[in-house]
Amino acid sequence: MSDTLTQKAAVGASPSRSRAWLVTGLLFAFLLLNFADKAVLGFAGIHIQQDLDISPQQFGLVQSAFFWLFAAGAIVLGALSTRIGVRWLLAALMLIWIVTMVPLLGPVSFGVLLACRIVLGFAEGPAYALATHSVHSWFPPERRALPGGIVTAGASVGPLLAAPILTWVIVTWSWHAAFGVLIVLGGLWAVVWVIFGKNAPAHIQPAAAGTVELSDAPYRTLLTTGTVVGIALLTFFSYWSTTLKVAWLPVYLSDGLGYDTITAGRLIMLPYAFAAAGAIGAGWLSNWMTARGISRRISRGYLTGGLIVGSGVSMVAFTLLSVGLPQMVFITLAFSLNSAAYAVAFTAIADVVHPRKRGPILGFLVAFYSMAGVIAPLLLGYFVGNATDKATGYGHGFALTGVLMTLGGAAATFLVRPERDAAKLSTRTQENAA
């Protein structure tokens, strides 16, 4: 009888497992398109500046504008995940993204471009948080980091594929045509997602043996927990670099280092390729360490912090080198190691925060670290526009970023202690209930 029940359970579990990986693949594609949307302006940076006759400072303003309502979107739309199923919420977000890109299919003014990027930023604000929350809901705690890493890899694969394709489209036709390609691909994804996407099963999958049961603590308590604060700071410093990679790195390769548009489009693929592989590798490593009983303080916190600090050190290093292979190696590391850290970082949040509160908490985290997206493009634009020569301006801006990531990342790492914080939250909730 027990063997029969076991077989039935296995049969019943199989569709959920295959569905979990199908959803993981669709969410990978979702973030692929999300970051292709972000990156296209960087690929077309020089063309847009020439076409609209705008300065580096104004181009930095456009890139910064994307993040002006990013935080509001992350909080407001992220909170809707407790009321609206992720299946319909993500489909709606994709349709909004498409609408914001339609005006860019033809000649536009600086004001229209600015407005479109502001609205797109609002709609894309909760994308990573919702995708991560969704994929975490399909897997037990000890197995979340790998699928989370795969979804995160989509953020790097998007620009990786977009770099040669959209650069070719821009050079062959125009930067307007690049937005047309993204509109078509976004529409196709929305149709496939509505047909095959699905919300996670209603039940909460059990944690591995020995894991502290998560408490449904108040938001105020969760937001002041050491692990949540530490991850917020780590992702803030990491996102400073991520924003510059999307907004300025393609322009830097052409305008600052002298590579032609096609060569820059190929070189930009390197940090995105390493970031994609790193995200999956870091997720696998975190799962492997956790499964072998290594403290999550190490498998989540130290791993995340180490990647971000390594990225910061590499960024300082490439500003000290002249154009050539060694510099490109450090550029690749500087803009890929930090990207590999996101999946592990958000998995640490899942170790501490109850599923009922996870969506809004991740939305708050995205809102916080998106502030780096507001500051970073403006600051680099200021350095470039006011330096005696552009190469010097880029060097100072990137060096400052590297120092912030190294020092800030090292300090924030020691706040991340998932087992301790989960146990404290559980004890506090039990005491309050008593």
Side-chain angles (χ1 to χ4, degrees):
M1 173 66 89
S2 63
D3 290 340
T4 303
L5 291 175
T6 301
Q7 292 173 358
K8 288 183 178 179
V11 172
S14 181
S16 292
R17 181 176 299 178
S18 60
R19 176 70 71 169
W21 286 109
L22 174 61
V23 169
T24 300
L26 290 173
L27 292 172
F28 166 87
F30 177 72
L31 283 188
L32 184 154
L33 291 171
N34 176 274
F35 271 75
D37 292 347
K38 288 186 177 77
V40 65
L41 220 63
F43 299 142
I46 293 177
H47 297 269
I48 291 173
Q49 290 180 62
Q50 293 173 348
D51 191 14
L52 301 185
D53 191 25
I54 59 177
S55 66
Q57 291 94 326
Q58 288 176 299
F59 183 71
L61 181 67
V62 172
Q63 295 285 30
S64 173
F66 178 86
F67 296 97
W68 291 355
L69 296 181
F70 197 88
I75 294 173
V76 173
L77 300 178
L80 290 178
S81 64
T82 62
R83 300 174 180 271
I84 302 174
V86 175
R87 178 188 183 190
W88 298 110
L89 195 54
L90 294 185
L93 288 181
M94 180 61 75
L95 292 178
I96 296 173
W97 301 356
I98 291 172
V99 170
T100 64
M101 290 188 284
V102 169
L104 304 180
L105 291 175
V108 293
S109 65
F110 175 74
V112 171
L113 176 62
L114 192 69
C116 288
R117 298 302 286 183
I118 292 172
V119 178
L120 179 64
F122 177 81
E124 289 198 349
Y128 184 66
L130 290 177
T132 304
H133 170 49
S134 178
V135 78
H136 282 172
S137 300
W138 282 93
F139 295 89
E142 68 277 7
R143 293 177 53 210
R144 285 176 182 150
L146 178 57
I150 293 173
V151 172
T152 300
S156 296
V157 174
L160 173 64
L161 296 179
I165 296 172
L166 295 184
T167 299
W168 177 79
V169 170
I170 291 166
V171 172
T172 305
W173 287 288
S174 70
W175 60 273
H176 304 286
F179 284 101
V181 172
L182 293 173
I183 288 171
V184 172
L185 294 176
L188 290 174
W189 183 91
V191 172
V192 174
W193 174 255
V194 169
I195 295 173
F196 296 104
K198 188 177 180 182
N199 294 325
H203 69 278
I204 300 172
Q205 301 196 44
T211 300
V212 178
E213 183 177 355
L214 298 181
S215 65
D216 195 3
Y219 285 111
R220 182 174 62 182
T221 301
L222 292 171
L223 289 171
T224 55
T225 298
T227 295
V228 176
V229 172
I231 293 299
L233 292 172
L234 285 169
T235 51
F236 176 86
F237 295 120
S238 179
Y239 206 67
W240 192 294
S241 171
T242 298
T243 304
L244 294 182
K245 177 171 67 175
V246 173
W248 277 105
L249 184 56
V251 184
Y252 170 59
L253 292 174
S254 298
D255 200 29
L257 300 183
Y259 295 105
D260 62 77
T261 302
I262 296 297
T263 302
R266 291 170 179 167
L267 290 176
I268 198 69
M269 296 170 65
L270 293 174
Y272 284 111
F274 274 79
I280 296 173
W284 176 87
L285 179 60
S286 182
N287 274 0
W288 183 86
M289 295 169 73
T290 302
R292 280 152 182 76
I294 296 175
S295 167
R296 297 189 191 199
R297 183 181 186 183
I298 297 173
S299 67
R300 309 295 201 224
Y302 286 6
L303 180 56
T304 299
L307 289 168
I308 292 171
V309 170
S311 176
V313 171
S314 298
M315 190 166 296
V316 173
F318 83 68
T319 65
L320 303 176
L321 299 173
S322 56
V323 177
L325 180 60
Q327 185 195 50
M328 200 62 219
V329 169
F330 281 109
I331 288 176
T332 299
L333 293 174
F335 291 103
S336 61
L337 292 178
N338 68 300
S339 296
Y342 287 106
V344 180
F346 272 40
T347 303
I349 298 298
D351 290 337
V352 174
V353 179
H354 194 280
R356 280 192 292 270
K357 301 287 178 67
R358 192 183 302 142
I361 289 295
L362 291 178
F364 275 108
L365 281 180
V366 172
F368 175 76
Y369 74 58
S370 71
M371 292 298 99
V374 176
I375 301 168
L378 282 174
L379 191 58
L380 189 60
Y382 172 82
F383 275 114
V384 174
N386 290 277
T388 53
D389 62 272
K390 290 184 177 181
T392 300
Y394 282 115
H396 289 166
F398 285 126
L400 174 62
T401 300
V403 171
L404 287 173
M405 293 177 69
T406 302
L407 299 181
T413 296
F414 297 102
L415 295 173
V416 183
R417 302 182 67 176
E419 287 100 343
R420 180 200 64 179
D421 291 337
K424 287 172 104 175
L425 289 170
S426 180
T427 300
R428 186 180 304 177
T429 301
Q430 293 172 7
E431 289 175 350
N432 291 339

